[in-house]
Amino acid sequence: MDMSLPIARHRLFRCIRHVAMSVVLGAAIGGSSAVALGQQQSDPYAVLRDAWSPYVQAGDPYGFPMKVAAITESKYKFWRGTKDLYYRWAKQHTTDWLADDAAYVICHGDLHPGNIGTYAVEPGKLAFGWVDFDDSARLPFQLELLHGLISLNLVAETNGMTLAAADRAKVTEAMLGRYREALTSEAKSAAADLAGNVQVRKMLAKERKPFDGARKELLDDTNRFHATITSKSSKVKEVLQDASEQADAIAAALAAAIDESPDLKAQFRLRGTEEVRAAMKGVVLRSRVGSSGSQGLRKCYVLLANPLTGIDGDAVVYLKQQIPSAAERAGVVPLDERTPAQRCVANMQAALDTQPWVCGTMDVNGASYWISLREPWSDELDTEDVGNLAELLEMAEIWGAVTGAAHRRTTTDATAIAGRLTPDLVRTLDARALEYNRQLKADFATVTADARAGADIEQVRKALTAAGKTPAN
């Protein structure tokens, strides 16, 4: 993880990145849609590899090979980690929606249940809504609804539920009904739209652990990061690789971000590169085993001594690399002129009714990072909690409500969008959800049977076996 170049050159690197990405995307997408789609049908592994190769380190087992290992675990994980395939498919099969200029809103872009939940808006205080805006972009609202139906159908399938046509219709009705209500609601928050939902109330009323609790699983008794984080069954959940050689570059970038952002300046008491660097007690590169969406991108934990205004004690800052959204990578929408982290945070600020507690952006060595905080209170919906149709319908209602609330805040005419929720659209959504499910099944089978994927998985297995034997650093 090379972050050694000075932060003062970030504008130059942003220009270089923009030009390079235009070339990369052009090469990856090909001279015509037919070329790209033909590649998708015959070689989905190559599509994914080529889409991610500009952003992951070649030869790193925790890069693209780790992503392959995750997405081949199940069809649902494959869906979560292969949005490049989804948006390439959408480019051909949803041309009517993509041509509907009035339908564009800020979409989450990857809205499965695990990207809906609570997040901290101040110490110990939670809000409810979308989380993880990595793939957010301005897209037709219909494409977001299709994404939701595909996700919900796959949740049912993953949990052993067989949905008849009548059951699918109920799921669609539950999702779109709450979406329509939230889209035209006068409620001030997604939580208010879901005030009667027992599951949401429980998540918002979750016991408030001490702020220090977020660090206990990451650090040993000497306040140093563990090399690995393991489950109760001793399986490796996260690998934390020492990145102390990048501390100087990170300190300069974080100090610049604090200085340039009034929001960050209000949350951090640290000022200037020297002060941030002096507060650093550890920097590690995080690889989360089994995570399929952003697997392979650079993510860092930075332990800082007493960095936050009004809070005594150390804190772990989380830096997550952002890249062009999947819709951008697939050529569905133009490449955003902002850095990927700026796009991510701006969309977050527009779509959420209450802003996250610590949220900012920084550039290091031409790469773009979202700045947040590792805190002990946030939680997301768990697909394993869905065991019957009633629970699936509740999840569909939550999905519809938070999405309607977010779209309400990012459109100039919510009433017009609500008017497009016609029986014809419902039929089209259902048909396209089934169509993409068939394509997803075929792509999943192709990739899991691919010898290149098998080699990736073996590379990851060896790396995790070695990491599991590594003592705490």
Side-chain angles (χ1 to χ4, degrees):
M1 181 183 64
D2 185 5
M3 295 181 172
S4 58
L5 294 177
I7 189 63
R9 297 167 61 185
H10 77 282
R11 288 188 176 87
L12 172 62
F13 280 112
R14 186 165 71 183
C15 293
I16 293 172
R17 178 194 62 81
H18 183 80
V19 173
M21 269 306 305
S22 298
V23 174
V24 169
L25 287 174
I29 295 169
S32 69
S33 297
V35 173
L37 291 165
Q39 185 185 29
Q40 174 181 334
Q41 293 167 2
S42 62
D43 197 350
Y45 176 94
V47 171
L48 296 172
R49 179 200 60 204
D50 294 347
W52 282 81
S53 60
Y55 314 107
V56 295
Q57 184 176 345
D60 180 6
Y62 301 126
F64 185 69
M66 181 81 90
K67 183 176 182 67
V68 172
I71 65 176
T72 52
E73 287 182 14
S74 69
K75 185 178 168 185
Y76 183 64
K77 281 197 171 184
F78 189 83
W79 159 243
R80 289 179 53 181
T82 58
K83 292 306 179 293
D84 294 278
L85 299 180
Y86 172 67
Y87 284 106
R88 285 170 181 261
W89 177 91
K91 191 174 182 180
Q92 182 185 38
H93 292 84
T94 66
T95 54
D96 52 343
W97 296 344
L98 295 173
D100 185 1
D101 292 340
Y104 280 69
V105 296
I106 292 178
C107 289
H108 184 281
D110 184 23
L111 195 57
H112 55 80
N115 279 340
I116 297 173
T118 55
Y119 59 94
V121 296
E122 60 183 63
K125 183 178 179 180
L126 300 175
F128 189 85
W130 287 352
V131 296
D132 197 351
F133 282 67
D134 297 356
D135 282 317
S136 61
R138 288 197 67 85
L139 291 163
F141 76 92
Q142 301 99 321
L143 203 54
E144 187 108 286
L145 297 180
L146 177 61
H147 193 292
L149 281 184
I150 294 169
S151 293
L152 292 165
N153 287 338
L154 286 171
V155 168
E157 181 181 324
T158 300
N159 291 344
M161 300 168 57
T162 301
L163 297 182
D167 296 330
R168 290 199 313 273
K170 290 178 180 178
V171 173
T172 304
E173 181 181 358
M175 187 186 85
L176 293 184
R178 291 310 300 266
Y179 175 79
R180 181 187 286 105
E181 290 176 9
L183 191 65
T184 57
S185 170
E186 296 183 359
K188 294 183 179 180
S189 69
D193 283 322
L194 289 162
N197 188 283
V198 175
Q199 184 176 5
V200 173
R201 288 207 307 269
K202 286 182 178 179
M203 293 178 71
L204 288 170
K206 184 179 178 181
E207 179 185 359
R208 303 296 189 263
K209 300 177 183 178
F211 176 69
D212 198 48
R215 303 185 299 111
K216 290 181 179 177
E217 68 171 326
L218 301 178
L219 305 171
D220 62 20
D221 293 339
T222 65
N223 225 25
R224 300 172 68 190
F225 283 104
H226 292 294
T228 59
I229 309 298
T230 58
S231 66
K232 292 181 180 179
S233 59
S234 298
K235 290 184 178 180
V236 177
K237 296 194 301 181
E238 295 186 24
V239 177
L240 305 181
Q241 299 171 274
D242 180 67
S244 55
E245 75 280 0
Q246 303 300 333
D248 290 345
I250 293 173
L254 183 56
I258 293 171
D259 182 62
E260 294 170 5
S261 167
D263 291 338
L264 291 179
K265 190 175 291 186
Q267 303 300 344
F268 284 92
R269 60 172 57 133
L270 303 175
R271 296 291 183 270
T273 300
E274 291 185 4
E275 197 168 321
V276 173
R277 183 65 183 90
M280 281 189 176
K281 302 173 75 172
V283 181
V284 291
L285 183 64
R286 179 203 190 200
S287 297
R288 183 182 173 193
V289 179
S291 172
S292 53
S294 60
Q295 189 61 267
L297 300 180
R298 291 181 286 268
K299 306 177 183 74
C300 290
Y301 285 140
V302 182
L303 178 62
L304 295 173
N306 209 34
L308 299 173
T309 303
I311 296 179
D312 293 328
D314 298 347
V316 175
V317 170
Y318 184 36
L319 307 177
K320 185 179 184 184
Q321 184 185 5
Q322 299 295 309
I323 63 176
S325 67
E328 292 173 81
R329 299 194 301 267
V332 170
V333 295
L335 190 67
D336 201 299
E337 291 292 336
R338 297 166 294 187
T339 68
Q342 287 171 345
R343 166 192 54 80
C344 170
V345 170
N347 289 344
M348 189 183 306
Q349 291 171 339
L352 296 177
D353 52 73
T354 310
Q355 301 308 304
W357 175 20
V358 173
C359 184
T361 72
M362 71 185 209
D363 290 356
V364 185
N365 194 26
S368 182
Y369 291 85
W370 169 39
I371 304 168
S372 63
L373 199 66
R374 176 67 182 250
E375 40 81 9
W377 310 297
S378 300
D379 198 9
E380 295 86 36
L381 295 180
D382 190 346
T383 57
E384 293 183 0
D385 292 338
V386 177
N388 54 53
L389 182 59
E391 291 169 345
L392 182 65
L393 293 176
E394 181 183 21
M395 186 166 282
E397 290 184 0
I398 294 173
W399 192 102
V402 297
T403 304
H407 287 185
R408 179 181 73 227
R409 283 185 287 274
T410 62
T411 181
T412 57
D413 196 346
T415 302
I417 290 180
R420 293 166 184 252
L421 301 175
T422 63
D424 183 59
L425 176 60
V426 172
R427 286 190 291 270
T428 302
L429 286 168
D430 187 55
R432 289 178 178 176
L434 291 174
E435 184 180 355
Y436 190 75
N437 200 318
R438 288 191 291 269
Q439 180 67 57
L440 182 72
K441 182 179 180 180
D443 287 343
F444 176 62
T446 299
V447 172
T448 53
D450 195 306
R452 294 168 294 183
D456 288 335
I457 294 168
E458 179 60 18
Q459 186 179 1
V460 172
R461 186 194 66 79
K462 290 180 178 179
L464 291 178
T465 299
K469 297 177 180 179
T470 303
N473 61 358

